[in-house]
Amino acid sequence: MTALPPRSAFPTGFQFGVATSSYQIEGHGFGGAGPTHWDTFAATPGNVVRAENGARACDHYHLWEQDLDLVAAAGFDIYRFSTSWARVLPEGRGPVNMEGLDFYDRLVDGMLERGLKPALTLYHWELPAALADKGGWRNREITRWFADYTHVIMARLSDRIWSAAPINEPWCVSWLSHFLGAHAPGLRDIRATARAMHHVLLAHGRAIKVMRAGGIKNLGAVCNFETALPADASPESEAATNRYDAIFNRFFVEAMFKGRYPEAALEGLAPHLPEGWEDDLATIAQPLDWFGLNYYTCKRIAAAPGPWPGFAEVDGAGPKTEMGWEIRPEGLQEFLTRIARDYTGDLPLYVTENGMAAPDRLDKRGLCDDQDRIAYYAAHLRACQNALAAGVPLKGYMAWSALDNYEWALGYEKRFGLIHLDFESLQRRPKASYHAFKTALER
Ligand code: IFM
């Protein structure tokens, strides 16, 4: 049995948290929320396992007190959550659903009452369908709609939140959803992709400006990273890996911190970017107070025939999670070091997501002994310790996720939670990994 490194093995003030997102847990069918492009995507045969959607999810909308109680009882410091654009503005713009805003108001108060720091993300993927109808992330106007939505949320919550980030994982919002077609809106179109990549960054910059103008503190960004490793020693695989790395690992952070896009990405994207994109880079590169990294896995990359970007993922030999994602903890240490060295310098860094899906089973006593997940967390927390020892200004670590939840195109099949969910009865049961965190955080 593996133990997690105790709190005392981290610098004083190092913060631990759990991360969640609105559509994945709340139950979007409740409380007057408007339809989203995820509802549309899931209703289209073949897109989502068993065509499942987030209409009920974990019913956190009604059971949030239980959930916050469990998070607080484990000794976590931070609760990372997102607000749903379509819950608050059912049409994406215009009339506010006060019931939705009241829900987040209670939720934030509930965190504070339990000693949890509210770490807010404004967009974790459930775009209002009315805005998707207008072209969604392809339409430059979204950057203004998003700024207005930011204003609506912050007018109500900014006096109590601890931190805010505009958009979770810009790569997923753009490349995964518009080039790979794996997430809503399910497009496979390079022009749509280039526009979405640029607009998601411009929306980030505009939202930060709105929040700065409102005097809101502790503003950051959250990007996901995957180590790109050449599948073999050929120059072709090296070059393909560089292209993969430019798109996945450099495009967004480079725009945010250096106000430019990497050449290896522009090679293929430049003809498809909206006219005058260069003029937006100054807005995108707003000063930030912290930067968050989401890290799960690595990819082995080989050259592939066909049009740009000409790369393909090759199966790696290492151990894998239930998602089929190779486990490579040293990648987290490498990214923490690399991001600080190349982009963020002394800025506080946080691991804003890290965790694994596992084939969790309840035993006869209703217990889930997820030792594989504990080992994953232990190895990644050690990677954080190594990064700290190397001088990286890492200030906190958040596990994905508090609860088993809606894993997007994989429906409810993949479980990432520290707390097991029976999706029929909605019963919550802390897993062994939850207890491992509780023990580590007490020490
Ligand atoms: O569930 C997702 C989350 O929404 C964003 N980051 C990765 C997680 C696991 O796939």
Side-chain angles (χ1 to χ4, degrees):
M1 296 228 299
T2 320
L4 299 181
R7 189 190 276 280
S8 56
F10 290 82
T12 310
F14 191 89
Q15 319 241 20
F16 290 87
V18 283
T20 61
S21 94
S22 42
Y23 192 82
Q24 289 179 274
I25 63 170
E26 283 176 2
H28 196 76
F30 307 122
T36 81
H37 70 171
W38 263 96
D39 305 309
T40 321
F41 186 70
T44 310
N47 282 342
V48 177
V49 170
R50 293 184 291 267
E52 289 166 341
N53 62 30
R56 184 174 186 242
C58 309
D59 195 4
H60 174 75
Y61 187 77
H62 296 108
L63 302 176
W64 61 270
E65 287 172 290
Q66 273 187 44
D67 296 336
L68 293 187
D69 283 347
L70 283 167
V71 172
F76 287 107
D77 311 301
I78 298 172
Y79 184 71
R80 180 170 176 249
F81 72 112
S82 69
T83 44
S84 162
W85 191 342
R87 178 175 298 292
V88 172
L89 296 169
E91 291 294 313
R93 304 178 291 168
V96 173
N97 171 28
M98 291 313 286
E99 197 179 335
L101 215 41
D102 290 347
F103 168 69
Y104 293 119
D105 202 70
R106 289 194 299 278
L107 191 65
V108 168
D109 281 347
M111 293 176 215
L112 295 175
E113 280 158 16
R114 290 164 178 79
L116 294 165
K117 294 183 167 66
L120 167 64
T121 305
L122 285 156
Y123 183 76
H124 198 128
W125 308 353
E126 67 276 64
L127 187 69
L131 303 184
D133 290 345
K134 295 189 179 306
W137 290 103
R138 285 171 290 163
N139 183 344
R140 182 182 176 86
E141 281 304 295
I142 197 167
T143 64
R144 300 206 182 279
W145 304 331
F146 186 65
D148 293 344
Y149 157 65
T150 300
H151 183 77
V152 170
I153 292 285
M154 286 305 174
R156 188 70 180 268
L157 301 183
S158 67
D159 57 333
R160 284 156 293 149
I161 56 159
W162 173 70
S163 71
I167 292 161
N168 185 63
E169 299 181 350
W171 178 87
C172 293
V173 176
S174 51
W175 191 271
L176 182 67
S177 309
H178 295 78
F179 190 82
L180 298 178
H183 277 193
L187 296 180
R188 299 204 62 244
D189 179 326
I190 193 165
R191 196 166 180 82
T193 305
R195 277 142 205 268
M197 289 170 93
H198 184 68
H199 294 149
V200 81
L201 280 162
L202 185 57
H204 156 86
R206 288 202 161 138
I208 294 286
K209 278 181 91 166
V210 164
M211 293 191 279
R212 287 273 179 234
I216 301 164
K217 305 263 186 317
N218 209 16
L219 306 180
V222 174
C223 292
N224 51 328
F225 297 92
E226 275 186 6
T227 315
L229 301 165
D232 56 62
S234 69
E236 292 79 13
S237 289
E238 286 278 353
T241 303
N242 182 43
R243 290 193 294 278
Y244 185 96
D245 189 68
I247 293 164
F248 203 117
N249 297 317
R250 303 205 297 273
F251 191 86
F252 303 98
V253 68
E254 197 148 315
M256 288 175 187
F257 288 93
K258 297 202 189 260
R260 65 176 192 229
Y261 291 143
E263 277 308 317
L266 284 177
E267 269 172 15
L269 294 174
H272 305 293
L273 283 167
E275 204 177 320
W277 60 269
E278 297 91 338
D279 300 338
D280 295 328
L281 290 169
T283 304
I284 291 169
Q286 293 300 307
L288 297 176
D289 304 315
W290 57 270
F291 185 69
L293 295 86
N294 294 356
Y295 175 82
Y296 292 89
T297 186
C298 65
K299 289 281 160 57
R300 315 268 164 183
I301 306 297
W308 188 93
F311 55 61
E313 292 174 19
V314 175
D315 206 21
K320 302 205 176 66
T321 71
E322 178 86 340
M323 297 287 278
W325 294 350
E326 194 172 338
I327 301 174
R328 191 171 178 276
E330 60 269 40
L332 178 54
Q333 181 188 344
E334 289 161 7
F335 271 119
L336 289 166
T337 312
R338 174 180 170 189
I339 295 300
R341 183 195 63 212
D342 293 351
Y343 299 106
T344 57
D346 294 335
L347 204 68
L349 295 184
Y350 291 86
V351 174
T352 32
E353 282 183 30
N354 176 235
M356 73 177 275
D360 297 328
R361 300 272 176 275
L362 294 179
D363 67 17
K364 286 193 194 111
R365 295 162 301 163
L367 303 177
C368 176
D369 192 20
D370 54 341
Q371 293 298 323
D372 41 5
R373 183 174 286 108
I374 297 174
Y376 180 99
Y377 278 126
H380 287 80
L381 284 167
R382 282 195 293 271
C384 292
Q385 290 177 304
N386 293 341
L388 283 162
V392 173
L394 179 64
K395 304 295 179 196
Y397 173 95
M398 292 161 230
W400 182 271
S401 182
L403 313 167
D404 292 339
N405 59 48
Y406 181 64
E407 180 53 25
W408 306 111
L410 299 170
Y412 294 95
E413 203 170 80
K414 305 294 177 202
R415 295 176 175 270
F416 275 88
L418 300 178
I419 300 164
H420 183 276
L421 240 291
D422 178 328
F423 289 106
E424 290 296 315
S425 68
L426 296 177
Q427 188 174 351
R428 277 91 165 128
R429 291 185 181 92
K431 302 178 190 174
S433 54
Y434 170 96
H435 294 293
F437 266 106
K438 186 169 191 295
T439 303
L441 296 180
E442 280 163 2
R443 294 185 177 164

